[in-house]
Every structure is written in C-alpha cells, then in structure tokens.
C-alpha cells in the first residue's frame, strides 16, 4: 500500500495534469473562432453524405470517399445537427439564395462546429502523451508532456481545423498509451493460464481491438498499431528465448484483438461491406502511394511533383518546422531509451517501443516506398505526440539525474526562456501557427519562396474580410485558392462577382477589379502589372495577397 505522503503526491500530480489540460482547453476554445475554412473541409462534409447515400440508396462511392474513414466527420455532423435543433444559427445568405449559396452556408456552419469538436478531440492526444510520460518517467512530472506537445506549433495549429490528421494522431496516441496499459496486464498474468471468456484479459483485448479498428477507421494506416503492440509484447521481456513461448501462450488474445479490429474496421467503412478483403487490399495499395494526387510541392525553392520529392523531404521538413530545443530533447530521449532499455520494467520497455515505432516506422515506410507526399508534415502529425512524449521523458530523466541544485535551476531557466520564445512566435503567427518554421532556419520569412507556407488556404478568410471593408460594391474579384474559403465570409450586401481562378477567361476577359491569391503554386505571379494593395502576412511574410487591377 502507498503511504499517505505518496497518495498526496499522486493527487497533486493529477491536479497538475488537470490544470494544464484545463488551461489548454480554455485557451483553445477562446481562439477557435479565429480560424478560417481549409481546402479539404467541404470534401470532408460531402464525404459523410456520400457514405450515407451509399448506405441508404446504394449509390456508388467515389474513390476518395471509399478509402477515407468518415465516422469522425459523421460524429461532428451529428453534433452540428443536434446543436441546430436547440440553437439554430442565422445563415449567411444573399437576398435570393441559390442552391450553391445554401450549400456554402451549410458547410460554413458545420465546419465552425467541427473546429470546436476537432480541438476538443485533440485533447485526447494531450492526455495520452501525459499517460505515456507517466509510464516512462513517473506521474509526478507527467503534466509536462501536455505542455511540451502544445509547444509543437504544427500540432497546435492543426488542432483547430484538420479533420483527418488530428483525429488520427489523437486515436493513434491513445492506442499507444492504451496498448501499454494492456501489455502491463499481460505481463502481470504471465504465470496464469490464458483462457478466453468473460474475464478481464479477454474484455480488455476486445476493447483494444475496437480501439485499433477506430484508429484504422480514420486512416487505413492505423492497422500498424496491431503490429506495434504484438512486437512490443514479444520483445519487452528482453529474452529472445521466450519469444515463441510467449507468442503461443498469448496467441488467443492476439486473435481476439485482430478479430475485433477487423469487425470494427468493417463497420466504419461502408465501402468495405460487400467485399472487405478486396477493399482492404485496394485501400492499402492506394493510400500507401496515393498517386491520384499529381500536383507540385514547393521544396527548397523548387516546385517538384509530389511523386518525385527527394527521400529527405520528410526529415528536412520535420527539422525545419519543429523548435530546435524539442528536436534535441527528442534525440536525447531516443538515445536515453535505447541505453536504458535493460533497466526499464517490461511495461516501460513495451511503452517505449510502441512510442518509438509510432514516431519513426510509418515515415520510414513512406520514404522507402517513395510515397506521394505534399502539404509538409501534416499527413504525419501523429509522429509529433510520440516525439513530444520522448522529448518530455528526456527532460525529466535529465533533470532528475542532475545532483547540483544550481544546475537544475539553470536548466529550468533555459527551458522557460526557450518555451517563451516558441510561445512568442506562435502568438505572432496566430491563427496560422501551422506555418511555423524554427528560428535556426530563419522563421517563416526564410520559408517564403522556398517552402510551402499557408497550403491550407486559411488566410483567404482574412483577405476576404479586408475586401468586405475596402472593395467597392459590385467589384469583380478573382480568387486563387479554395474559392469557398472566401465565399463563406463574403459580405453579400457588397454584391461582389466572385470568379475562381481556373474559371477566369485568361487573355480574353478584362482584368478584374481585384485579384486575391494564396501563397501556393504560381498564384502570386498572376496579374504582374497590378499593384498589391493588401497582404495578409505574419512575420513580414505574405500568406495571401490582394492586387487592385482596375483603378477608379
């Protein structure tokens, strides 16, 4: 039994964790309304409808919707519909709305709710990182894990609007934490007979299989968590002679996990209902290469097809978009885990193995398979929580290893100063924190013309708000970027004529009154003879520009 002092210490630790999570939640919910709509969000909303139409009317599902999980978007939409029943929103519609106007208004209302749901869902990640750190370094300082994760600007920034990669990161990290807890139960029952039935081990294994299916239900690559769990269980005892014996004894529980994973995956992917095996093979083949995306990526000053990016694209982008101190801490953490592996308990070893695999295996697979890559590191956001857990563990281990109080004070001061600089940069970038580049690279300004910045199109909202205030009524505006991101915040009383860049009659039609372009592809180069009258910018770097082509 724990002593009274120990129980008080644990209660204090939980209070610290709760306080940090509560502060993050308050900050996030206070700023969630500042984020615009992104390029993919209408697709995510329509994906729900496509799957529901398939279920109800047997209408064919597009290739995109067939292999993307839709249950998170469906949950968000149900929350939106429930909210509308009690607190209906006033739609932003022109006097005589068309079907498109009504669609845009509905998408905007749904996404505003989804942004809140996505952020709240991201809190699962913070709690899971805290849990991982608690296993590896103790509950007393585990609260630091949530703080460290929030200091990864890419993760914090995406947490408000990314409806695919953030839920996947949250569920995957929960899978790492829950898998570690499950393996702890396995280790404690190694001297008992393994029997399937209505007992704790079987029930826990069923639940983990369902969790693994839900992870896969967001992105198909989530099934890798099954291999991580089994691998960690087999090698965590650090005794090669017992691997086959352990495999044979726990094979029934592995089978239960895989069975419930398969059932859950089957349920959450309606496209798999007719032929699940064929569908699964198709999904793995398509999503691992993703050749249907054939655009270019700005990388190191060159526009390179996503299929032809050099192998070091991902490592370099991680190194540029992650604060340097956290990179160093993560590296020290990996080295520390490898060197201390034999001194860790089996549960700690298993947790460390799954966390390291979460951080490094799938990116390595993508590199080796020459997968189509784009949008920076956003498809690999699930790596960041693992890195945050490893970095936090390194900081805690290092702090406790230091004997001299003066050195501990110096280390704490250094961390606070570095964290303050990161927070300062994030505040300066808000609400475009995801465009962060570290100071060693030169910040966002150094990335201009060299790397992708606002590839999601968030800044079009702010640009359109400027046009609402400054453009003359009845102006013609050409938009280069996600057109709906501008249309959803358009002031209909201004009676603007909005034209999508690809629909503009280049070389035939007269110049528009205004041109608004995103910092992607060659959008800034259009209408070179027109002066720039406004730029949505952060750190002296334009994310969206507005050109005035017809002077009064």
């Amino acid at each position: 039994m724990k002593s009274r002092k120990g129980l008080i210490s644990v209660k204090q630790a939980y209070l610290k964790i709760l306080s940090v999570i509560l502060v993050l939640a308050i900050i996030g919910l206070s700023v969630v309304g500042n984020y615009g709509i992104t390029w993919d969000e209408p697709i995510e909303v329509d994906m729900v409808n496509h799957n529901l139409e398939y279920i109800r009317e047997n209408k064919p599902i597009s290739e995109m919707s067939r292999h993307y999980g839709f249950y998170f978007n469906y949950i968000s939409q149900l929350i939106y519909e429930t909210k509308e029943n009690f607190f209906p929103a006033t739609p932003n519609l022109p006097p005589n709305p068309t079907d498109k106007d009504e669609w845009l208004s509905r998408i905007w209302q749904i996404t505003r709710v989804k942004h809140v749901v996505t952020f709240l869902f991201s809190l699962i990640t913070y709690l899971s990182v805290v849990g991982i750190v608690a296993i590896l370094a103790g509950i007393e300082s585990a609260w630091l894990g949530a703080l460290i994760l929030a200091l990864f600007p890419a993760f914090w920034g995406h947490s408000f609007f990314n409806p695919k990669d953030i839920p996947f990161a949250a569920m995957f990290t929960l899978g790492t934490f829950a898998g570690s807890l499950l393996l702890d139960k396995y280790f404690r029952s190694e001297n008992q007979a393994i029997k399937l039935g209505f007992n704790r081990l079987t029930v826990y294994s069923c639940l983990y299989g369902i969790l693994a299916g839900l992870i896969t239900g967001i992105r198909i690559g989530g099934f890798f968590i099954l291999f991580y769990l089994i691998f960690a269980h087999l090698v965590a005892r650090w005794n090669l002679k017992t691997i086959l014996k352990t495999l044979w004894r726990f094979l029934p529980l592995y089978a239960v996990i895989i069975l419930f994973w398969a059932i859950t995956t089957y349920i959450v992917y309606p496209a798999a209902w007719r032929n699940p095996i064929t569908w699964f093979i198709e999904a793995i083949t398509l999503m691992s290469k993703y050749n249907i995306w054939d655009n270019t990526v700005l990388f190191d000053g060159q526009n390179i097809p996503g299929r032809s990016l050099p192998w070091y694209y991902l490592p370099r982008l991680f190194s540029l978009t992650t604060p340097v101190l956290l990179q160093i801490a993560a590296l020290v953490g990996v080295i520390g885990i490898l060197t201390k592996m034999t001194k860790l308990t089996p549960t700690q070893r298993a947790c460390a193995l799954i966390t390291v695999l979460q951080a490094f295996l799938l990116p390595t697979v993508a590199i080796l398979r020459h997968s189509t890559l784009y949008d920076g590191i956003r498809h690999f956001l699930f790596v960041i929580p693992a890195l945050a857990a490893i970095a936090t563990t390194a900081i805690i281990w290092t702090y406790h290893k230091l004997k001299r109080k003066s050195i501990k004070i110096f280390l704490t001061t250094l961390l606070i100063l570095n964290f303050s600089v990161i927070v300062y940069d994030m505040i300066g970038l808000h609400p475009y924190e995801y465009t962060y580049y570290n100071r060693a690279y030169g910040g966002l300004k150094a990335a201009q013309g060299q790397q992708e910045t606002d590839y999601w199109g968030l800044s079009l909202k702010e640009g359109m708000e400027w046009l609402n205030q400054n453009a003359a009524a009845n102006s013609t505006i050409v938009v280069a970027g996600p057109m709906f991101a501008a249309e959803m915040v358009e002031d209909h009383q201004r009676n603007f004529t909005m034209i999508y860049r690809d629909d503009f009659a280049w070389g035939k039609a007269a110049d528009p009154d205004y041109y608004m372009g995103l910092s992607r592809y060659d959008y800034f180069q259009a209408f070179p003879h027109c002066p720039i009258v406004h730029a949505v910018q952060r750190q002296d770097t334009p994310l969206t520009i507005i050109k005035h082509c017809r002077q009064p």
Side-chain angles (χ1 to χ4, degrees):
M1 293 179 64
K2 289 186 177 181
S3 65
R4 180 179 175 83
K5 185 177 180 181
L7 289 174
I8 293 174
S9 178
V10 170
K11 288 182 179 179
Q12 289 175 341
Y14 280 118
L15 184 60
K16 290 178 183 177
I17 293 167
L18 181 61
S19 299
V20 171
I21 297 298
L22 187 60
V23 168
L24 293 177
I26 292 172
I27 293 173
L29 291 174
S30 67
V31 300
V32 67
N34 298 342
Y35 294 83
I37 192 169
T38 60
W39 215 307
D40 285 3
E41 287 185 275
I43 299 172
E44 298 293 315
V45 174
D46 286 341
M47 184 190 301
V48 173
N49 298 328
H50 294 160
N51 278 276
L52 294 177
E53 287 172 355
Y54 173 78
I55 295 170
R56 295 166 181 165
E57 306 169 29
N58 200 30
K59 287 186 177 180
I61 307 179
S62 68
E63 188 174 38
M64 290 284 290
S65 298
R66 277 175 54 80
H67 302 109
Y68 275 123
F70 89 109
Y71 79 81
F72 175 78
N73 292 316
Y74 184 46
I75 291 170
S76 298
Q77 190 158 316
L78 284 176
I79 293 172
Y80 160 75
E81 291 171 354
T82 303
K83 185 210 79 117
E84 284 296 290
N85 289 333
F86 294 97
F87 307 102
T90 303
N92 177 29
L93 292 170
N96 298 302
T98 63
D99 289 343
K100 180 183 176 183
D101 293 327
E102 292 180 352
W103 176 81
L104 286 169
S105 178
R106 182 172 181 272
I107 294 291
W108 178 235
Q109 296 299 331
I110 292 175
T111 53
R112 290 175 68 184
V113 172
K114 281 185 68 176
H115 286 185
V116 176
V117 176
T118 302
F119 173 71
L120 291 175
F121 204 82
S122 76
L123 296 179
I124 294 173
T125 327
Y126 293 95
L127 288 168
S128 299
V129 168
V130 167
I132 294 168
V133 174
I135 293 173
L136 294 176
I139 189 69
E140 291 80 9
S141 303
W143 61 270
L144 185 61
L147 179 62
I148 294 293
L149 177 58
L151 291 173
F152 280 79
F155 188 86
W156 176 265
H158 277 270
S159 294
F160 298 91
F161 57 81
N162 189 324
K164 292 180 289 189
D165 307 304
I166 286 296
F168 184 67
M171 295 300 289
F172 208 109
T173 311
L174 178 60
T176 295
F177 174 51
S180 303
L181 296 180
L182 177 63
L183 292 185
D184 181 66
K185 301 295 183 185
Y186 283 9
F187 293 135
R188 294 174 185 271
S189 12
E190 286 183 340
N191 296 324
Q192 305 172 14
I194 304 299
K195 294 181 180 180
L196 298 184
F198 194 69
N199 54 62
R200 287 186 177 183
L201 283 185
T202 305
V203 172
Y204 291 155
S205 299
C206 292
L207 293 174
Y208 192 78
I210 293 171
L211 175 59
L214 292 175
I215 298 169
T216 310
I218 295 177
R219 282 196 180 279
I220 196 67
F223 80 96
F224 270 83
I225 198 74
L226 299 171
F227 299 106
Y228 296 178
L229 179 87
I230 295 172
F231 174 80
H233 183 221
L234 292 177
V235 304
R237 279 296 185 189
W238 220 244
N239 187 346
L240 296 177
K241 296 178 181 179
T242 64
I243 286 181
L244 290 178
K245 181 181 178 182
T246 302
L247 175 63
W248 181 252
R249 287 190 70 244
F250 285 87
L251 192 59
L253 293 178
Y254 297 161
V256 166
I257 292 173
I258 293 171
L259 174 63
F260 277 82
W261 161 80
I263 292 171
T264 306
T265 303
Y266 175 77
I267 291 172
V268 298
Y269 280 104
W273 291 355
R274 290 187 178 180
N275 194 334
I277 296 177
T278 300
W279 171 87
F280 185 73
I281 294 171
E282 287 177 355
I284 293 297
T285 303
L286 173 70
M287 303 311 290
S288 64
K289 294 292 287 185
Y290 205 66
N291 287 330
I292 60 176
W293 198 90
D294 60 355
N295 251 318
T296 60
V297 176
L298 179 61
F299 178 58
D300 285 346
Q302 300 181 59
N303 285 297
I304 306 171
R307 303 174 183 176
S308 306
L309 286 165
W311 70 267
Y312 54 86
Y313 173 77
L314 269 181
R316 177 158 170 77
L317 261 292
F318 267 106
S319 72
L320 300 182
T321 59
T322 303
V324 174
L325 176 66
L326 300 184
Q327 294 183 53
I328 296 171
L331 177 61
V332 171
V334 171
I335 296 172
I337 286 171
L338 294 177
T339 55
K340 292 183 63 171
M341 193 65 79
T342 57
K343 299 177 183 178
L344 300 176
T345 67
T347 300
Q348 287 177 316
R349 274 199 292 269
C351 182
L353 287 169
I354 300 175
T355 305
V356 170
L357 286 170
Q358 177 181 337
F360 297 105
L361 184 61
L362 279 176
T364 302
V365 171
I367 291 170
L368 293 177
R369 280 188 57 80
H370 303 287
S371 300
T372 301
L373 300 173
Y374 59 96
D375 288 358
I377 62 170
R378 69 123 169 144
H379 294 102
F380 296 88
L381 287 178
F382 65 90
V383 167
I384 293 178
L387 293 177
I390 294 170
T392 306
T393 300
I395 292 171
I396 295 171
W397 282 353
T398 301
Y399 184 84
H400 288 311
K401 195 172 183 179
L402 298 174
K403 302 299 182 184
R404 296 179 60 179
K405 187 176 180 180
S406 59
I407 298 179
K408 287 187 175 183
I409 294 174
F410 174 77
L411 176 62
T412 303
T413 304
L414 181 65
L415 289 176
I416 292 174
L417 289 174
N418 273 273
F419 293 168
S420 299
V421 171
I422 297 170
V423 171
Y424 176 82
D425 288 341
M426 291 173 69
I427 292 173
L429 290 170
H430 181 75
Y432 314 114
E433 294 94 335
Y434 87 100
T435 65
Y436 171 90
Y437 286 85
N438 60 46
R439 293 194 169 210
Y441 180 61
L444 180 61
K445 192 171 183 63
Q448 184 180 2
Q450 295 295 309
Q451 316 292 348
E452 299 283 8
T453 53
D454 184 20
Y455 52 78
W456 273 122
L458 282 178
S459 54
L460 285 183
K461 173 180 178 285
E462 193 174 337
M464 192 67 225
E465 289 170 344
W466 185 90
L467 286 168
N468 286 339
Q469 295 293 322
N470 295 276
N474 303 309
S475 292
T476 300
I477 302 168
V478 172
V479 179
M483 181 76 169
F484 43 79
E487 291 177 312
M488 288 179 188
V489 292
E490 175 190 355
D491 182 353
H492 296 295
Q493 294 181 356
R494 311 292 290 170
N495 198 31
F496 295 142
T497 299
M498 308 283 287
I499 305 173
Y500 182 47
R501 176 185 183 275
D502 292 354
D503 296 331
F504 183 71
W506 295 92
K508 298 179 182 178
D511 285 352
D513 294 293
Y514 292 92
Y515 169 77
M516 180 167 63
L518 194 65
S519 58
R520 199 171 193 191
Y521 307 125
D522 60 347
Y523 291 169
F524 275 11
Q525 279 69 56
F527 300 104
H529 55 286
C530 301
I532 297 174
V533 292
H534 182 70
V536 178
Q537 59 182 13
R538 296 294 187 272
Q539 295 184 351
D540 299 321
T541 305
L543 303 175
T544 284
I545 59 169
I546 298 173
K547 297 182 178 182
H548 195 181
C549 292
R550 283 196 211 169
Q551 302 296 327

